[in-house]
């Protein structure tokens, strides 16, 4: 039974950031917060959430000596992506108010917390933000986004082979997905499932005729072909800046924004690739308020959701310009909370983390007292 089980306040206030789950921790990179300075170049910030102790920690800035070393560390940005391969997190794309969009590949070693810029070759994608990145085997796939140099939406697929560090532009067959940004692309099996995003009715250039597609597009990485897909009902409303993740071979989407409807979402939908049908899911417990540009990471059988932005309560749920940025965090459990707690406890015993074991028991006692109060 799906249930929202944890709600925490006071984490990093971040919007349009990128996050990756590494073991029982979540690494969050960059993003923005309204009112902060994004014209002065500075190092990207890295926040780490421990899903066992339920605590945030900000990593100290990297000590830099020399101009070349400074180029190894990405500057603060938003609209970028981050993926994990083995013990390395690859960060790509995004933009900054001073530098604009970026197409440098940065690597972050999760063991040493050191940044470096791998040497790559091939057809490097143009600088952009609002793209998607997903991993299959040793390859990272980049799709879509808004290209800065061409000043238009993209529907290209680029592939980075991390064994050779060679970029390639895939010559995809079939009818491609529409040019778009702030969509989601999720790997299930050997296929990439693309949903949502912002596009233009007239083509790749932004003419303020925005459209929000609500149909799944599927790219087969084995045949390099966009597949013809059936249309079924019901369908979630089209949206951008939502979250997407896979669990047990099914696709889930949460939240997002649709400017035509002037609406932010906090609904959860499940898509079955087997029969190509959608189903709206209603988890137990109190979940997040409607929002967009949040992050969702899968840790075991739990989804860690944090950050994003929503209209200010006094402005109603549709206003795009009077927004409040979130510093909260929610956990969505796919299995019973008690079982999750038992698994965490066993993990703590193996790690001999006595401080966290104490935290575990305090949380458990608190939950039991809350049940008694109810």
């Amino acid at each position: 039974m799906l249930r929202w089980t944890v709600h925490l306040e006071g984490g990093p206030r971040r919007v349009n950031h990128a996050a990756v789950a590494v073991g029982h921790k979540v690494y969050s990179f960059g993003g923005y917060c309204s009112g902060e300075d994004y014209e002065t170049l500075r190092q990207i910030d890295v926040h780490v959430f421990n899903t066992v102790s339920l605590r945030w920690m900000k990593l100290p800035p990297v000590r830099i000596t020399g101009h070349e070393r400074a180029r190894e560390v990405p500057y603060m940005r938003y609209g970028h992506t981050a993926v994990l391969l083995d013990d390395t997190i690859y960060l790509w794309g995004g933009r900054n108010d001073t530098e604009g969009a970026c197409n440098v590949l940065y690597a972050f070693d999760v063991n040493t917390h050191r940044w470096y810029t791998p040497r790559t070759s091939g057809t490097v994608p143009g600088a952009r933000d609002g793209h998607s990145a997903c991993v299959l085997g040793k390859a990272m796939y980049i799709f879509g986004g808004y290209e800065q140099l061409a000043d238009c939406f993209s529907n290209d697929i680029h592939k980075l082979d991390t064994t050779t560090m060679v970029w390639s532009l895939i010559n995809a067959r079939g009818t491609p997905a529409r040019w778009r940004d702030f969509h989601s692309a999720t790997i299930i099996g050997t296929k990439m499932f693309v949903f949502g995003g912002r596009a233009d009715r007239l083509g790749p250039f932004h003419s303020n005729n925005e459209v929000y597609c609500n149909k799944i597009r599927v790219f087969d990485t084995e045949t390099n072909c966009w597949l013809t897909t059936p249309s079924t009902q019901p369908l979630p409303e089209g949206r951008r800046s939502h979250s997407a993740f896979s669990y047990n071979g099914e696709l889930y989407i949460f939240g997002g924004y649709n400017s035509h409807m002037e609406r932010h979402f906090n609904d959860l939908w499940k898509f079955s690739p087997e029969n190509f049908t959608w189903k709206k899911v209603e988890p137990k417990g109190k979940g997040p308020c409607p929002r967009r540009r949040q992050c969702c990471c899968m840790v075991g059988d739990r989804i860690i959701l944090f950050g994003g932005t929503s209209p200010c309560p006094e402005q109603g749920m549709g206003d795009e310009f009077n927004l409040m940025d979130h510093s909260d965090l929610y956990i969505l459990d796919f299995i019973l909370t008690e079982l999750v707690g038992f698994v965490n406890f066993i993990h703590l015993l193996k790690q001999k983390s006595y401080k966290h074991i104490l935290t575990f028991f305090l949380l458990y006692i608190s939950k039991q007292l809350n049940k008694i109060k109810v």
Side-chain angles (χ1 to χ4, degrees), residues 307-356:
T309 189
S310 300
C312 296
E314 63 271 17
Q315 299 294 335
M317 294 314 295
D319 196 306
E320 184 178 3
F321 302 103
N322 293 284
L323 302 174
M324 57 181 293
D325 302 336
H326 296 293
S327 61
D328 55 0
L329 180 143
Y330 289 81
I331 295 181
L332 179 65
D333 278 335
F334 276 83
I335 58 177
L336 294 176
T337 308
E338 288 75 17
L339 181 57
V340 173
F342 177 73
V343 171
N344 281 345
F345 181 66
I346 296 299
H347 174 78
L348 291 172
L349 286 177
K350 289 181 179 179
Q351 298 295 320
K352 295 182 179 179
S353 181
Y354 301 116
K355 178 181 177 181
H356 290 155

Side-chain angles (χ1 to χ4, degrees), residues 208-279:
N208 292 319
N209 287 286
E210 292 183 357
V211 291
Y212 296 88
C213 182
N214 64 345
K215 296 179 181 178
I216 287 277
R217 293 304 313 274
V218 182
F219 177 76
D220 190 328
T221 63
E222 292 185 322
T223 62
N224 284 343
C225 184
W226 286 101
L227 304 181
T228 302
T229 54
S231 181
T232 57
Q233 298 292 334
L235 294 172
E237 290 88 350
R239 62 195 69 194
R240 64 177 169 94
S241 305
H242 55 284
S243 296
F245 53 90
S246 64
Y247 181 77
N248 281 350
E250 294 179 309
L251 172 68
Y252 291 80
I253 65 164
F254 172 86
Y257 173 73
N258 184 308
S259 66
H260 293 315
M261 303 174 68
E262 294 188 342
R263 182 180 172 191
H264 286 74
F265 300 96
N266 66 341
D267 50 353
L268 181 68
W269 288 78
K270 178 175 71 173
F271 174 78
S272 170
E274 188 174 339
N275 52 27
F276 231 82
T277 56
W278 285 97
K279 179 183 179 181

Side-chain angles (χ1 to χ4, degrees), residues 35 38 116 130 166 169 225 256 310:
Y38 289 92
Y116 61 97
V166 175
L169 172 62
C225 184
S310 300

Side-chain angles (χ1 to χ4, degrees), residues 176-206:
R178 183 184 289 269
W179 309 269
R180 66 186 76 194
D181 66 356
F182 294 107
H183 53 283
S184 62
T186 309
I187 293 287
I188 300 179
T190 59
K191 295 181 175 64
M192 180 174 72
F193 293 80
V194 175
F195 176 80
R198 176 184 63 166
D200 193 280
R201 194 178 305 276
L202 303 180
F205 296 97
H206 194 199

